[in-house]
């Protein structure tokens, strides 16, 4: 373990070499996270549209689409959606308007912040060489590249935790920074539901470790625990309200809402299930398979065969894990041990949650660090060049797959051109628009692309299942979802998948095709776009 924690020799000469490596990695890292961001991923995922529209609605009307004033947690589909991403997106929408790009800007910005901060965090806990290796790995990491390019609320959580742990580690030498760490940890509780278990558990273990080694006093631990509870209190109250089935609470202009159905976290958690032990074992087995194969079957989370960090990384992970474990056994206080706590608490979380890659995303920063430690071990054997070439080759192949082949594969899952079809249909009639129900939550795309007034939506919406965790909207205003038995007339326009549009005669109807969707209207009533 000495090679991990000792200071580099010939520091001045090595720093110059590392500096150029860092600059090259940073340029590559930024480019691969921002190039073609308007078209890759193509279209928009329903969760992106949801959080983007709610951010727009809160900005301009002070309510989300469910009519909740400045909610601490979004009701979203009924089962909830964490609100931090939406609030951080509001400035981009304010300056540049609502669009897929402005909705994704939060992910892009935090992806780049996380990339840069990751290096400085590593410098605090390891040698410069290990920090550079870890930074290079994160630069080319498929998981981090992909989460930086689309607006899933879960994608924000790992970076907020990284910021929190960075200040925590800096507080080892400056106790004044510990409250900042406590506050950012509290903020992470608003980022994603898995934080409800991970953050308190990680903090408890880490504080006990710091107390044992007299890095902090009991007074420091208690004060910062109070800071954490104070800033996270609204989300803790939100959890209590929905677990105890209490009414929503108004705090001035802000609201702690009661969801319309069981929360999403309760649905994927095994904590309150009767067969807890069996379910927990199944959850961990599922996680272990995903962690080894680096694939959860969701193309929005990983691309075969590259996974979250390339399959060649696993041997280095084993070596790095052993290296850090040896350091812990020495009973010496060191920041690298915090990484192991981070990793192990993430593992513990997998027992109580039905995981996929985005639900267990908190594990990947420590995983990359452990891999970097393993690669660093080989430096003494003059194998680093071979390792660097191997990872570079995989990165080049991944980049080709992501930028050339992936858009074709993901196009239908992100409903590419659906927004164009909706916007065009709205110009073809001021009456009824019937929209295919064969996509996930089609109504949210109408709200997003047409920028519907949330009061209009709230006052006219008709739900098929109003008490469900996933409310199905059958209609609102002039928009209807479901096209069975409906034909285009002078008062009716249809939006369908291109395959479904093939049954319509283009001699009788105007059929305007976009990449995946078509707008069908009665020919004599067509209005030029």
């Amino acid at each position: 373990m000495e090679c991990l924690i000792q200071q580099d020799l010939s520091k001045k000469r090595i720093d110059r070499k590392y500096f150029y490596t860092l600059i090259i990695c940073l340029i590559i890292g930024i480019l691969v996270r921002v190039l073609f961001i308007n078209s890759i991923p193509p279209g928009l995922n329903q969760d992106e549209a949801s959080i983007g529209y709610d951010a727009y609605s809160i900005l301009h009307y002070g309510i989300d689409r469910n009519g909740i004033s400045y909610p601490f947690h979004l009701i979203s589909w009924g089962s909830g959606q964490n609100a931090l991403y939406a609030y951080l997106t509001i400035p981009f929408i304010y300056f540049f308007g609502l669009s897929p790009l402005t909705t994704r800007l939060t992910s892009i910005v935090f992806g780049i912040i996380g990339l840069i901060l990751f290096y400085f965090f590593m410098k605090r806990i390891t040698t410069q060489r290990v920090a550079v290796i870890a930074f290079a790995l994160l630069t080319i990491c498929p998981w981090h590249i992909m989460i930086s390019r689309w607006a899933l609320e879960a994608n924000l959580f790992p970076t907020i935790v990284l910021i929190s742990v960075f200040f925590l580690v800096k507080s080892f030498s400056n106790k004044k920074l510990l409250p900042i760490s406590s506050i950012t940890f509290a903020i992470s509780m608003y980022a994603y539901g898995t934080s409800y278990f991970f953050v308190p558990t990680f903090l408890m273990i880490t504080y006990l470790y710091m107390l044992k080694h007299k890095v902090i006093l009991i007074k420091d631990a208690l004060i910062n625990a109070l800071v954490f509870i104070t800033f996270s209190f609204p989300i803790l109250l939100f959890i209590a309200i929905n677990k105890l089935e209490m009414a929503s609470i108004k705090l001035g202009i802000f609201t702690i809402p009661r969801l319309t159905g069981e929360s999403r976290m309760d649905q994927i958690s095994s904590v309150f299930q009767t067969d807890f032990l069996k379910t927990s074992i199944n959850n961990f087995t599922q996680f272990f398979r995903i962690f080894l194969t680096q694939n959860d079957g969701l193309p929005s989370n990983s691309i075969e065969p590259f996974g979250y960090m390339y399959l060649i990384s696993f041997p280095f992970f084993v070596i790095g894990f052993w290296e850090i474990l040896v350091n812990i056994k020495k009973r010496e206080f060191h920041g690298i041990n915090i990484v192991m706590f981070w990793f192990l608490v993430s593992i513990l979380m997998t027992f109580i949650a039905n995981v996929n890659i985005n639900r267990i995303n908190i594990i990947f920063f420590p995983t990359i660090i452990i891999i970097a430690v393993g690669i660093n071990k080989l430096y003494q054997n003059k194998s680093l060049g071979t390792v660097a070439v191997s990872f570079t080759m995989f990165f080049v192949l991944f980049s080709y797959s992501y930028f050339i082949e992936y858009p074709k594969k993901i196009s239908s899952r992100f409903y590419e051109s659906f927004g164009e079809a909706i916007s065009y249909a709205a110009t073809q009639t001021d009456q009824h628009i019937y929209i295919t129900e064969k996509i996930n939550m089609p109504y949210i795309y109408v709200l997003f692309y047409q920028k519907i007034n949330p009061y209009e939506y709230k006052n006219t919406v008709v739900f098929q299942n109003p008490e469900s965790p996933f409310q199905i909207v059958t209609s609102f205003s002039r928009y209807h979802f479901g096209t069975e038995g409906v034909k285009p007339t002078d008062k009716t326009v249809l939006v369908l998948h291109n395959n479904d549009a093939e049954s319509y005669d283009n001699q009788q109807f105007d059929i305007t095709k976009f990449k995946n969707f078509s707008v069908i209207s009665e020919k004599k009533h067509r209005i030029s776009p």
Side-chain angles (χ1 to χ4, degrees):
M1 195 63 185
E2 183 182 2
C3 64
L4 178 62
I5 62 177
Q6 69 184 11
Q7 291 298 314
D8 290 321
L9 302 176
S10 306
K11 192 175 191 322
K12 184 176 180 181
R13 177 176 60 81
I14 294 175
D15 277 352
R16 189 177 297 113
K17 178 180 67 176
Y18 289 158
F19 175 77
Y20 293 124
T21 301
L22 289 170
I23 293 300
I24 292 171
C25 286
L26 180 60
I27 293 171
I28 293 172
I30 292 175
L31 286 176
V32 80
R33 285 159 178 77
V34 301
L35 284 176
F36 311 114
I37 194 63
N38 268 324
S39 56
I40 304 174
L44 202 64
N45 176 271
Q46 67 274 4
D47 285 326
E48 294 182 287
S50 174
I51 211 155
Y53 177 76
D54 276 341
Y56 167 86
S57 180
I58 292 169
L59 169 64
H60 292 290
Y61 301 95
I63 60 170
D64 69 359
R65 69 178 182 268
N66 287 281
I68 306 300
S69 171
Y70 297 100
F72 282 101
H73 194 288
L74 302 172
I75 290 180
S76 186
W77 319 111
S79 59
Q81 193 172 26
N82 294 83
L84 182 61
Y85 193 105
Y87 284 105
L88 291 174
T89 304
I90 284 175
F92 299 119
I93 296 174
Y94 176 81
F95 286 107
F96 307 112
L98 178 62
S99 70
L101 176 59
T102 54
T103 302
R104 289 172 175 170
L105 276 175
T106 300
S107 281
I108 298 167
V109 169
F110 274 82
I112 295 172
I113 289 173
L115 180 65
I116 296 170
L117 186 66
F118 188 69
Y119 169 72
F120 289 104
F121 169 67
M122 289 300 297
K123 276 194 68 177
R124 301 290 304 186
I125 62 173
T126 66
T127 64
Q128 190 172 50
R129 185 172 67 229
V130 180
V132 171
I133 293 171
F135 180 72
L137 287 175
L138 188 62
T139 296
I140 64 172
C141 175
W143 162 73
H144 196 258
I145 292 168
M146 293 179 72
I147 69 165
S148 299
R149 297 181 60 95
W150 70 296
L152 188 66
E153 89 218 55
N155 295 346
L156 196 60
F157 180 46
T159 303
I160 302 297
V161 169
L162 176 64
I163 295 170
S164 306
V165 178
F166 174 72
F167 282 111
L168 177 68
V169 170
K170 282 181 70 71
S171 74
F172 296 166
S173 57
N174 184 356
K175 287 186 180 179
K176 293 180 180 179
L177 295 175
L178 192 54
I180 297 177
S181 174
S182 300
I183 292 170
T184 51
F185 269 121
I187 291 172
S188 76
M189 296 283 285
Y190 300 86
Y192 193 50
T194 55
S195 65
Y196 307 157
F197 173 85
F198 174 84
V199 174
T201 307
F202 173 76
L203 282 177
M204 180 181 66
I205 293 172
T206 304
Y207 275 25
L208 288 173
Y209 177 67
M210 294 165 68
L211 285 167
K212 177 182 177 182
H213 290 274
K214 298 181 171 55
V215 177
I216 59 173
L217 303 174
I218 293 179
K219 179 185 69 174
D220 301 319
L222 293 176
I223 290 173
N224 282 279
L226 182 61
V227 170
F228 171 78
I229 292 171
T230 300
F231 280 87
S232 60
F233 182 74
I235 201 68
L236 298 175
L237 190 54
F238 164 79
I239 296 169
I241 286 172
N242 285 276
K243 184 57 61 179
L244 302 175
E245 299 184 355
M246 299 162 57
S248 299
I249 295 176
K250 291 281 290 183
L251 299 173
I253 63 172
F254 298 99
T255 307
I256 303 175
R258 164 82 181 277
L259 302 176
T260 61
E262 184 184 24
S263 75
R264 185 65 177 143
M265 283 311 301
D266 284 345
Q267 293 172 38
I268 67 173
S269 173
S270 62
V271 172
F272 298 102
Q273 295 184 14
T274 54
D275 54 348
F276 172 74
L277 182 60
K278 180 181 178 182
T279 304
S280 297
I281 293 173
N282 289 338
N283 287 343
F284 178 76
T285 302
Q286 179 180 340
F287 157 75
F288 193 68
R289 178 187 60 78
I290 292 172
F291 192 74
L292 287 182
T293 64
Q294 301 198 20
N295 178 38
D296 63 359
L298 299 174
S300 56
N301 285 340
S302 67
I303 301 174
E304 292 187 274
F306 306 104
Y308 55 79
M309 193 58 233
Y310 312 112
L311 293 174
I312 60 169
S313 65
F314 186 72
F316 305 112
F317 171 84
V318 174
I319 295 170
F321 189 88
W322 178 255
E323 282 286 286
I324 299 175
L325 195 62
V326 168
N327 187 63
I328 292 177
K329 287 181 178 180
K330 290 180 178 179
R331 302 182 185 278
E332 298 172 353
F333 182 85
H334 196 278
I336 195 70
N337 295 339
I338 303 296
V339 173
M340 187 62 86
F341 299 154
W342 186 344
F343 180 81
L344 293 176
V345 174
S346 301
I347 293 287
L348 189 61
M349 188 175 67
T350 67
F351 284 94
I352 64 169
N354 180 13
V355 301
N356 55 32
I357 284 177
N358 60 270
R359 290 176 192 161
I360 196 60
N361 58 13
I362 195 61
I363 203 172
F364 295 124
F365 277 133
T367 297
I368 292 167
I369 294 170
I370 294 169
I371 293 169
V373 171
I375 292 174
N376 179 69
K377 182 70 174 176
L378 295 181
Y379 185 84
Q380 303 165 79
N381 301 325
K382 309 300 181 184
S383 303
L384 194 57
T386 303
V387 173
V389 170
S390 300
F391 273 98
T392 300
M393 289 176 58
F394 274 97
F395 170 61
V396 170
L397 292 172
F398 165 78
S399 298
Y400 174 82
S401 179
Y402 183 81
F403 288 103
I404 304 301
E405 298 175 348
Y406 181 71
K408 302 170 189 175
K409 295 178 181 178
I410 205 70
S411 175
S412 61
R413 287 179 175 267
F414 276 61
Y415 309 118
E416 184 180 8
S417 79
F418 190 47
E420 296 174 74
I422 290 170
S423 298
Y424 180 72
T427 69
Q428 300 305 294
T429 182
D430 57 3
Q431 298 290 318
H432 300 286
I433 299 175
Y434 284 81
I435 299 170
T436 178
E437 76 278 29
K438 295 180 181 178
I439 71 170
N440 204 343
M441 302 295 183
Y443 80 93
I444 195 61
Y445 293 93
V446 177
L447 294 175
F448 184 96
Y449 286 104
Q450 294 302 296
K451 302 176 179 61
I452 302 294
N453 184 318
Y455 288 102
E456 177 186 353
Y457 167 75
K458 180 67 176 172
N459 291 334
T460 60
V461 65
V462 177
F463 293 109
Q464 177 181 313
N465 52 345
E467 304 301 319
S468 171
F470 291 94
Q471 297 171 319
I472 304 299
V473 173
T474 57
S475 69
F476 74 86
S477 186
R478 65 191 181 115
Y479 298 95
H480 309 265
F481 304 96
T483 59
E484 186 176 354
V486 180
K487 295 293 183 182
T489 69
D490 60 340
K491 295 182 179 180
T492 302
V493 171
L494 274 61
V495 179
L496 302 173
H497 274 289
N498 284 343
N499 291 340
D500 295 331
E502 291 177 358
S503 62
Y504 287 82
D505 183 3
N506 58 13
Q507 298 296 317
Q508 182 180 359
F509 302 103
D510 275 328
I511 304 175
T512 304
K513 285 195 173 184
F514 298 90
K515 186 163 186 177
N516 293 315
F517 297 90
S518 295
V519 177
I520 303 175
S521 56
E522 195 175 60
K523 188 175 276 294
K524 65 179 180 179
H525 288 284
R526 181 179 180 182
I527 303 171
S528 298

